[in-house]
């Protein structure tokens, strides 16, 4: 029987005999590095104790092939069956290749890694190899001659002219690549990566570009011609007022781009008419704070206040790619919380679509207003059995659970546990927080039915959840995910990226994958 070492050695020679600028990365298990056959693919380094120690210490090392003298990156994972190992291996390989400013690479993965774990590894590599950039090519600005270096042709390194971090061309393969690619579990992880990337790309577009108009166009382009889409509804401007969606309308009525509610009905199971679940995202495209204007230092990142809506769109992207067999409503409430003479004002009393009157104690507690009317619209029109909403809702949740975990609130224990476990499957962490009676009491106004804020520094995330809870209809199972900290981490660990990182999109897609009709 052919030994793994033989195909690895042959694959290295095959890749290196092709394009001269392709860098090779090997993903090997610890056992393979130590095996007697390692000499065929690691050469004399297989006998080096220091080399193995370096791999044990930092998980990776560069060496130069004894025949071709071409660089090879070795990334060591402990066990081919461990999902966390696979994820870390993919991130490590991408980071090391990006650090060398590689633009063309071939990643060869050990055949001791399962198809699903190769998918996880590819997902992690893909999302680590991400850059949101508007940088322009210096050659286009100054001309190639103006920036060329006076070096001999044989010593010229094209990497010095590379002005982006992202690796442009990546191939990931293993001994039996055809069967791996055909594995549905592998397909899920690739679709999840693309969905998360889609979320990142939309989330990181800045506020003057990513208006509600822009977001609507993004949705229309994504679903155009897709047979699973049964219905697209866009309610905006005066139409919101006509439907008594006054909370959503008030938040965005001062902007030049009209506020709107968008609902996409994805019908993946034509054998039934009911909606299995609805995902609802907060899409405040830029949050000035309204007349309670945010200060310098707190306003600059508010183009990311549409993160929940972007995660919902990322999940829709993945559902379309995988042809998920469920009936799902993907809904987003879009508004730019801007300021002009029409701005809604502190202490205004507005009537929601559900009929509750709401006193505006703080114009910067706007996300819950956007979600409240969107909740009511979706429930009245589509009657989903379950709702999951995502929102960059409160700074308070970061105080409670930090920057790597999202806060989870729910009216159903089983549903809460299911979403928590689903997040664990895609390495997204949630921690359930309570909605105590104290927080519910703080949503009651002396003048109106509800008040959108309460002047207390304590339990702000629970208070926001208590407000949203009022708009969940009887019998509907609901999970609220406050992703304000997790969606925009200060010092993210790969495969997460700075700024909008796509948190939540993969959880939603994993939930659909787990629950779809077989």
């Amino acid at each position: 029987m052919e030994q793994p070492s033989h195909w690895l050695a042959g694959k290295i020679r095959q890749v290196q005999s092709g394009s001269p600028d392709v860098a090779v990365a090997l993903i090997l298990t610890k056992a393979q590095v130590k095996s007697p056959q390692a000499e065929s693919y690691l050469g004399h380094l297989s006998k080096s104790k220091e080399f193995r120690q370096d791999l044990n210490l930092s998980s990776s090392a560069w060496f130069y092939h004894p025949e071709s003298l071409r660089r090879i990156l070795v990334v060591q994972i402990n066990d081919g069956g461990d999902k966390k190992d696979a994820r870390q291996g993919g991130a490590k390989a991408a980071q090391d290749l990006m650090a060398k400013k590689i633009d063309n690479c071939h990643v060869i993965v050990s055949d001791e890694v399962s198809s699903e774990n190769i998918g996880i590894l590819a997902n992690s590599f893909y999302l680590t190899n991400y850059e949101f950039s508007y940088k322009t090519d210096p050659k286009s600005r100054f001309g190639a001659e103006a920036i060329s270096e006076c070096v001999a042709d044989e010593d010229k390194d094209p990497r010095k002219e590379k002005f982006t971090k992202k690796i442009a061309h990546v191939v990931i393969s293993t001994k039996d690549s055809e069967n791996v690619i055909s594995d549905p579990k592998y397909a899920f992880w690739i679709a999840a990566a693309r969905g998360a990337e889609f979320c990142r790309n939309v989330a990181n577009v800045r506020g003057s570009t990513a208006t509600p108009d822009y977001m609507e166009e993004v949705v229309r382009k994504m679903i155009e011609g897709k047979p699973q889409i049964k219905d697209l509804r866009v309610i905006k401007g005066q139409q919101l007022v006509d439907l008594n969606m006054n909370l959503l309308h008030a938040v965005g009525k001062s902007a030049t781009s009209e506020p709107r509610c968008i609902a996409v009905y994805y019908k993946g199971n034509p054998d039934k008419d009911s909606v299995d679940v609805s995902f609802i995202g907060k899409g405040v495209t830029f949050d000035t704070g309204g007349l309670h204007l945010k200060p310098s230092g707190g306003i600059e990142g508010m183009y990311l206040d549409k993160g929940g809506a972007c995660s919902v769109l990322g999940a829709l992207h993945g559902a379309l790619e995988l042809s998920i067999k469920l009936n799902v409503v993907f809904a987003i409430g879009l508004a730019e919380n801007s300021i002009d003479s029409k701005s809604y004002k502190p202490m205004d009393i507005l009537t929601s679509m559900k009929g509750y009157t709401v006193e505006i104690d703080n114009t910067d507690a706007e996300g819950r207003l956007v979600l409240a009317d969107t909740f009511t619209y979706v429930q009245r029109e589509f009657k989903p059995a379950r709702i999951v909403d995502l929102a960059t809702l409160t700074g308070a949740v970061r105080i409670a659970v930090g920057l790597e975990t999202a806060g989870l609130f729910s009216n159903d224990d089983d549903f809460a546990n299911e979403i928590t476990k689903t997040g664990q499957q895609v390495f997204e962490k949630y921690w359930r927080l309570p909605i105590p009676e104290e927080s519910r009491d703080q949503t009651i106004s002396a003048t109106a039915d509800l008040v959108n804020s309460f002047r207390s520094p304590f339990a702000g995330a629970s208070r926001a959840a208590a407000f949203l809870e009022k708009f969940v209809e009887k019998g509907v199972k609901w999970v609220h995910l406050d992703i304000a900290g997790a969606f925009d981490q200060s010092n993210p660990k790969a495969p997460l990226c700075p700024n909008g990182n796509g948190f939540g999109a993969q959880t939603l897609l994993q939930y659909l994958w787990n629950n779809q009709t077989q």
Side-chain angles (χ1 to χ4, degrees), residues 424-473:
Q424 291 170 354
Q425 289 181 268
V426 291
F427 308 98
E428 293 182 337
K429 295 183 287 187
Y430 302 92
W431 190 265
R432 190 174 183 184
L433 296 171
I435 307 178
E437 286 304 315
E438 176 188 10
S439 295
R440 293 188 177 105
D441 291 344
Q442 290 171 353
T443 67
I444 306 302
S445 166
T447 309
D449 297 322
L450 300 172
V451 63
N452 78 325
S453 184
F454 184 83
R455 296 174 194 181
S456 166
F458 307 116
S462 291
R463 189 161 52 250
F467 183 91
L468 292 177
E469 183 185 44
K470 298 285 187 181
F471 295 87
V472 179
E473 301 296 336

Side-chain angles (χ1 to χ4, degrees), residues 245-267:
M245 299 176 74
N246 298 300
L247 303 184
L248 172 52
H249 181 261
V251 174
K253 69 180 181 178
S254 292
T256 55
S257 178
E258 292 182 311
R260 67 206 68 194
C261 171
I262 297 179
V264 178
Y265 184 8
Y266 173 100
K267 192 163 187 179

Side-chain angles (χ1 to χ4, degrees), residues 3-6 8 28-48 51-52 55 76 110-112:
Q3 296 298 316
S5 58
H6 296 160
L8 276 169
L28 305 176
T29 65
K30 191 172 185 178
Q32 281 181 305
V33 173
K34 294 172 64 176
S35 73
Q37 294 81 21
E39 187 174 1
S40 66
Y41 44 88
L42 295 180
H44 65 282
L45 291 175
S46 64
K47 300 175 182 178
S48 169
F51 180 71
R52 291 195 299 273
L55 286 177
Q76 177 180 278
S110 163
D111 62 339
E112 293 186 9

Side-chain angles (χ1 to χ4, degrees), residues 279-501:
F279 298 147
I280 300 176
K282 170 191 169 184
V284 176
T285 59
F286 193 87
D287 182 17
T288 66
L291 292 178
H292 282 106
L293 186 67
K294 290 179 181 290
S296 178
I299 197 171
E300 290 80 5
M302 286 300 106
Y303 63 91
L304 292 172
D305 211 17
K306 60 185 182 294
C310 294
S311 293
V312 168
L313 295 183
L316 172 57
H317 187 282
L320 289 167
E321 183 169 334
L322 293 170
S323 296
I324 292 291
K325 298 177 179 64
L326 280 177
N327 295 341
V328 189
V329 172
F330 298 85
I332 54 177
L334 298 170
E336 179 185 329
N337 191 17
S338 192
I339 299 172
D340 74 357
S341 60
K342 296 180 294 183
S343 296
Y344 71 129
K345 298 170 178 61
M347 309 317 292
D348 278 353
I349 296 176
L350 308 173
T351 302
S352 68
M353 187 182 192
K354 188 170 181 177
Y356 287 131
T357 54
V358 179
E359 185 177 28
I360 306 302
D361 181 73
N362 192 330
T363 61
D364 195 22
E366 85 300 329
R368 65 203 71 181
L369 304 178
V370 169
L371 288 172
D373 275 344
T374 307
F375 277 21
T376 303
Y377 179 83
V378 168
Q379 289 171 105
R380 287 187 182 177
E381 295 295 314
F382 300 100
K383 296 178 171 54
R386 296 183 172 199
I387 287 176
V388 180
D389 80 83
L390 295 90
T392 51
L393 203 62
T394 67
V397 78
R398 296 179 293 180
I399 305 301
V401 296
L403 298 178
E404 295 184 0
T405 304
L408 183 152
F409 302 82
S410 182
N411 63 1
D412 186 89
D413 292 342
D414 291 338
F415 195 21
N417 291 335
E418 182 179 7
I419 294 298
T420 301
K421 291 177 181 178
T422 300
Q424 291 170 354
Q425 289 181 268
V426 291
F427 308 98
E428 293 182 337
K429 295 183 287 187
Y430 302 92
W431 190 265
R432 190 174 183 184
L433 296 171
I435 307 178
E437 286 304 315
E438 176 188 10
S439 295
R440 293 188 177 105
D441 291 344
Q442 290 171 353
T443 67
I444 306 302
S445 166
T447 309
D449 297 322
L450 300 172
V451 63
N452 78 325
S453 184
F454 184 83
R455 296 174 194 181
S456 166
F458 307 116
S462 291
R463 189 161 52 250
F467 183 91
L468 292 177
E469 183 185 44
K470 298 285 187 181
F471 295 87
V472 179
E473 301 296 336
K474 185 177 180 180
V476 176
K477 295 182 178 181
W478 164 66
V479 164
H480 161 56
L481 303 177
D482 191 336
I483 60 173
F487 194 84
D488 177 20
Q489 296 176 26
S490 301
N491 297 295
K493 299 175 184 175
L496 297 179
C497 66
N499 304 321
N501 60 36

Side-chain angles (χ1 to χ4, degrees), residues 222-239:
M222 178 169 44
I223 67 174
E224 185 178 6
K226 300 298 191 295
Q228 303 99 323
I229 304 303
K230 181 181 178 182
D231 196 8
L232 167 66
R233 300 191 190 179
V234 180
I235 306 96
K236 63 182 179 181
Q238 184 59 39
Q239 295 171 326

